[in-house]
Structures are given as C-alpha cells and as structure tokens.
Amino acid sequence: FDRLLATEYLNFFMKDELLDETEMYPFAEDEKGVSFMSPAPTSFEKYIEHIDKNMAGDTPIAFGLHPNAEIDFRTQQSNTMFNTLIELQPKGSSSGEGTASPQQVAESTANELLDKFGEKSFDVEDLIRSLDEMGPYQNVFIQEMDIMNVLLAEIRRSIKELQLGFAGELTMSEAMEDLMMALYLDRVPTSWAKRAWPSMKALGSWVKNFSDRILQLEEWMNNPSEIPKVTWLSGLVNPTSFLTAICQVTAQKNQWELDKLVTFTRVTKMMTVDEVDGPSRDGAYIIGLSLQGASWDANGAQIEKSKPKEMFCPMPVINVKAVTKEKANVGGIYHCPTYMTEQRGPTWYFNAQLKTTSPPARWTLAGVALIGDVA
C-alpha cells in the first residue's frame, strides 16, 4: 500500500500540466479557499517567492487528505500526552483522601472480571461430536472457540494468582505487578493481549468487546450446522479464515478451482442485523466495519467525501461472495484495504470493493480504509 500511495502521488504530480499553472493540492476542488497553483516557468528565486507568498500554513488537503485527518492527529497527540501524565502519577499508595490506591482499583477490577468470565468456557469436543458434518464455516467457529478457551483460561489463572499475591500467600512477581498496573491504568494486560486479537481499546471497552465475541459464538452453538444470517466479522480473532471459508464453500458447490477465486463485496442498504431476512444465497453477510477517511452514501451506494468532524462512518451490512478473478476486475471500484485496528499496518486482512464515481486515486491519497476495531 505504501508503493500504491507513492505511485498515485507520482501519477498526480508528474504530468505536463505541471508547467502550465495547475492545481498542486490533490483533488482539492471541493475545498473552499484552499489552493496552491504551480507557477509558470521562471527563475529559482521566483519559485521560492511564489511558495512563500501563496502556500498557506500546514493543511492535510495538501496531501489529498480530508481536514478531519488533522483532528485525528491532534486527538492522538492529546491522548498520548494524558496517558504519559497518568503514568507519571505516584503509584505507591492513594494520592489523596477518598482516592483508591492502584492495588484497590486492581483488586476491584479483578473481582469483576472473575465474576464475568470465571465460569465461561466452550465444550469444543462435545460440539464436534454433535455435528453430522464439519464444513469450512464450522472449522472457523471451532477455531475461534479454541482461541477463546485459551484466553479465558489465562484470564482466570492470572487473576487468581494476583489475588493470592494481594492476600500475601504468594510473593508479588514482576508479571503480577504488571497485571496490577494494567488493571489500574485501564489497559489490556500483556499476557492477555498475546492470546487475544489486535486491539487499541482500553480495558473497559475491550472487556465489553470480548463479551460480545463470546455471545456471537454462543448464538452460533445453538445452530452449529448453519452460519449466522449476519456474521460480525470484526468479532472474529481470525477473520481471514472466514473469508477463505466463503471461497471454499463456493468452490465445493460449483466444482471450481479454489486458487482461481477471490472475495468480492457488495454493500447492501440494510444497516442492522434485524433488517436481514436470512443468510445470503451466494456468500455471507457481514457487519461491524467502519469507513475511515470518507463517508458512505447509502442512497447512491458509493463512497463520498467525509462529513466534517465525522471520524468513522459505520458501514451497512455487506454481502461477501467468491467470484473468479476475471469477474472481480470491474471498473468504478475502489479496492478499500480493511484492517483490524486503527493502527493499520500488520492488521490488514483483505480488500473490499466499494463503488465510486470519483477516481480511485482520490481515496488512495485520502487514506480511506475500513476498520474493524474502532477504539
């Protein structure tokens, strides 16, 4: 994606119009009062004078980004600063009358988590015995249950160990100290994060997200021979395996070669699960993705420019199906990268096809992407 972005910048700037007073800010026609025209051929000194005179202060528009990008950048700066200030606070004991100490906060949080997840687990072996046939979708959900069982076991083990440390029955180790501080600072403990999915959420919202993931698996267990009518894709630890299962089922059904199939997305007009009558006849319905860097025009069924101060746009239910590579090569489409978290980078797992009337390069330069886990 870095190469694609660099290529689009080169395509925009390296053109003959560059020497004929053209707009230098990519796709800035919609922005009022923000412009920078290239000067006519002149001397070096005149170029410098033109830049000093006509280029205003720093703006995301100069790079093809939406003005909202600056809001996001400033927000992240503020969060980093406040997190640093919290870490600098004295942690030995309560810092004032009526203020709980780190141990008291951690102890309370640990008890709540043990009450919530202490009895949770999935009997995978019993479920496998009850299935008449193990298809690709069943494999996906069973793998998810295995991962959840490992995570639940680690949460119970580490919390019980910490409680013994608080009671004086065990010496507080470095790992126990780290767990206590993570619970105090509302962060996901390292040993849990290693066994979980990529996430940038604080512990409180992470726990809610965890509960929702468990609920989706419990609902599937009620009818394990079928997939849910709408799958919460970002609620899976390994969403790639579910997308692969769509291709596997289609290949088996139509006797097609698996390596010649790719996923193709069609965005519906249904915003909630309740609006869906039943499972998709070709592929699977998914939900849980949000568009960053742009908005979704539900009426026109296409990408449009972001609304002011709207950082994320929740997407409607999306139908994902498997098609041959030739059929997936259509025009008027932006191949939108989909990531697990706002960190992007290593959390990418597939490209969604979104309709657009603007050149796809516009959305590439704007950094438009689908995000699963919004912090």
Side-chain angles (χ1 to χ4, degrees):
F1 294 110
D2 289 341
R3 180 181 294 179
L4 176 62
L5 180 64
T7 301
E8 295 299 355
Y9 274 127
L10 289 172
N11 290 338
F12 181 82
F13 289 115
M14 298 296 107
K15 54 189 178 183
D16 294 337
E17 293 86 347
L18 186 65
L19 303 176
D20 192 26
E21 299 185 34
T22 186
E23 175 61 60
M24 296 292 288
Y25 287 173
F27 305 103
E29 299 84 6
D30 298 340
E31 304 298 336
K32 296 179 181 178
V34 182
S35 176
F36 179 70
M37 307 297 291
S38 64
T42 183
S43 65
F44 176 77
E45 289 75 17
K46 291 292 184 182
Y47 283 133
I48 298 299
E49 183 183 339
H50 177 81
I51 293 171
D52 291 339
K53 182 179 178 182
N54 296 287
M55 185 175 285
D58 294 341
T59 171
I61 298 168
F63 302 96
L65 297 166
H66 191 274
N68 285 349
E70 185 165 10
I71 298 174
D72 187 44
F73 173 69
R74 300 296 182 193
T75 301
Q76 288 184 27
Q77 276 190 319
S78 300
N79 288 338
T80 301
M81 181 184 70
F82 283 119
N83 286 335
T84 303
L85 290 173
I86 290 173
E87 289 179 356
L88 291 173
Q89 287 183 326
K91 304 178 179 68
S93 59
S94 58
S95 55
E97 189 176 343
T99 305
S101 68
Q103 179 174 331
Q104 290 170 330
V105 173
E107 201 165 1
S108 174
T109 304
N111 290 335
E112 290 175 11
L113 292 173
L114 209 53
D115 289 341
K116 184 181 287 287
F117 299 121
E119 303 298 324
K120 293 281 186 182
S121 67
F122 294 102
D123 191 342
V124 177
E125 292 183 2
D126 184 59
L127 177 63
I128 293 173
R129 285 194 296 269
S130 69
L131 287 170
D132 296 328
E133 184 181 356
M134 279 278 289
Y137 292 128
Q138 283 72 31
N139 281 324
V140 170
F141 284 105
I142 286 171
Q143 287 171 5
E144 291 289 319
M145 289 179 180
D146 285 334
I147 295 171
M148 290 298 169
N149 279 340
V150 170
L151 178 55
L152 286 164
E154 172 59 20
I155 290 174
R156 287 192 292 267
R157 184 205 65 78
S158 59
I159 287 179
K160 288 177 180 177
E161 182 182 63
L162 183 63
Q163 289 177 330
L164 291 173
F166 288 156
E169 297 178 30
L170 283 177
T171 303
M172 289 289 285
S173 64
E174 184 178 348
M176 293 159 68
E177 290 278 359
D178 291 343
L179 175 59
M180 181 184 76
M181 291 313 302
L183 297 178
Y184 171 64
L185 295 172
D186 195 32
R187 295 176 182 170
V188 181
T190 305
S191 65
W192 303 1
K194 285 180 180 177
R195 294 164 174 80
W197 53 94
S199 179
M200 298 176 66
K201 292 180 181 290
L203 180 60
S205 52
W206 184 88
V207 169
K208 172 66 168 63
N209 183 270
F210 187 22
S211 298
D212 291 340
R213 289 168 184 262
I214 291 174
L215 181 61
Q216 174 171 244
L217 294 176
E218 288 175 340
E219 289 176 349
W220 175 78
M221 285 183 69
N222 295 330
N223 188 13
S225 60
E226 301 289 337
I227 64 168
K229 64 178 181 178
V230 180
T231 301
W232 177 35
L233 188 65
S234 50
L236 300 177
V237 179
N238 186 9
T240 307
S241 64
F242 183 80
L243 298 171
T244 302
I246 293 174
C247 294
Q248 290 172 333
V249 170
T250 303
Q252 293 170 4
K253 181 179 178 182
N254 299 288
Q255 299 298 307
W256 291 346
E257 295 180 46
L258 180 61
D259 60 354
K260 293 185 178 179
L261 296 180
V262 294
T263 54
F264 193 83
T265 58
R266 179 182 64 83
V267 182
T268 72
K269 293 191 175 182
M270 300 176 287
M271 290 301 299
T272 64
V273 176
D274 294 335
E275 297 176 55
V276 182
D277 295 329
S280 171
R281 279 177 275 181
D282 54 345
Y285 288 125
I286 64 168
I287 201 168
L289 300 176
S290 297
L291 196 61
Q292 185 181 32
S295 286
W296 181 255
D297 176 11
N299 295 323
Q302 63 181 9
I303 306 178
E304 64 176 6
K305 179 184 167 185
S306 283
K307 296 176 176 61
K309 300 181 181 179
E310 181 188 69
M311 309 311 296
F312 295 94
C313 174
M315 291 294 288
V317 173
I318 299 174
N319 185 30
V320 183
K321 61 181 180 180
V323 298
T324 58
K325 294 176 182 177
E326 294 76 21
K327 288 186 178 181
N329 190 18
V330 296
I333 291 292
Y334 170 58
H335 293 274
C336 184
T338 306
Y339 300 92
M340 292 186 185
T341 74
E342 298 166 61
Q343 180 193 2
R344 301 195 179 194
T347 68
W348 173 88
Y349 57 97
F350 89 116
N351 285 347
Q353 292 75 28
L354 304 180
K355 289 184 179 179
T356 175
T357 53
S358 297
R362 175 180 184 177
W363 310 119
T364 300
L365 297 184
V368 175
L370 287 168
I371 308 295
D373 190 67
V374 177

